Amino acid sequence: MPTSPPGRDPRLRPYRAALWVTYFAVTLFGIGLLIFSVARHLKGPPRPPHSGELPTRAALRLCLGDLEELYREQNERAWALGAEFEGKDPLATWNAWARIWERKVDDLTDRCRLDASDREGYKERTELAAARDAMLALHRAYQAQVNRFAQEEGDLANAAAEALAHARQAVGQVR
């Protein structure tokens, strides 16, 4: 007949309780540290404080030029994405560019005070803010398409780029 395992020594109960408390404290500390690190990373670098001055009409024209340049850059980048599939990791290249581009838009928003509700230049700034918002909506759509393509058809694009590289090598033309 099998013997039952010996019971727990009641004299060691405080030590067991202390070990459990230590275990949960270390575990919760690690989880909290992980959450803090992820949140800090997602927040991004702090933005410099903007000056209290409202932009003048000349400054608003410069802001419009900068906004148009960002719009052109985004569209050129989206159309040129197909040429980047010969690289090592085109999705990572797109994502790195997208973070830099979004930071430029945030800087433009701060510099031009597009979200300020002051009376002077309010109509112009609201129009610029509406254009910025439409451009960001387009950026989100581009981002979704790039991610979807990378998930569904990225291996085909990589295979085509690799086959083209092999063909170049066979012909003897180095690019």
Side-chain angles (χ1 to χ4, degrees):
M1 186 166 199
T3 61
S4 64
R8 293 187 174 156
D9 189 354
R11 294 175 296 166
L12 300 177
R13 177 175 285 151
Y15 298 109
R16 281 194 302 272
L19 282 175
W20 277 110
V21 168
T22 303
Y23 169 76
F24 284 120
V26 168
T27 303
L28 289 176
F29 177 75
I31 291 171
L33 190 61
L34 178 71
I35 290 171
F36 174 75
S37 175
V38 168
R40 189 181 65 187
H41 177 73
L42 290 176
K43 183 179 174 187
R47 290 153 82 185
H50 59 77
S51 65
E53 301 173 12
L54 287 173
T56 61
R57 284 216 185 271
L60 287 174
R61 281 192 290 274
L62 290 174
C63 291
L64 177 61
D66 292 346
L67 192 63
E68 288 173 340
E69 181 60 33
L70 286 169
Y71 180 67
R72 267 190 298 281
E73 178 186 351
Q74 173 179 253
N75 289 332
E76 288 170 1
R77 187 66 177 202
W79 285 105
L81 183 65
E84 293 179 359
F85 274 97
E86 290 187 54
K88 193 170 189 176
D89 189 3
L91 182 62
T93 304
W94 169 270
N95 287 333
W97 170 84
R99 282 191 297 275
I100 293 168
W101 185 86
E102 290 166 359
R103 199 170 311 126
K104 288 179 186 177
V105 172
D106 289 342
D107 291 342
L108 176 77
T109 299
D110 286 344
R111 184 170 32 92
C112 299
R113 306 233 4 232
L114 297 184
D115 295 330
S117 61
D118 300 333
R119 302 298 282 165
E120 186 180 333
Y122 179 73
K123 182 178 183 258
E124 294 87 355
R125 284 185 285 120
T126 54
E127 291 298 325
L128 283 171
R132 179 217 43 208
D133 293 342
M135 194 169 62
L136 286 172
L138 178 63
H139 183 71
R140 286 189 294 274
Y142 281 148
Q143 186 75 31
Q145 289 297 325
V146 167
N147 287 333
R148 187 175 305 123
F149 181 80
Q151 287 176 346
E152 296 173 358
E153 310 300 336
D155 55 341
L156 292 175
N158 287 335
E162 186 177 326
L164 187 59
H166 289 301
R168 273 192 208 110
Q169 187 178 26
V171 173
Q173 177 187 11
V174 179
R175 184 175 177 184

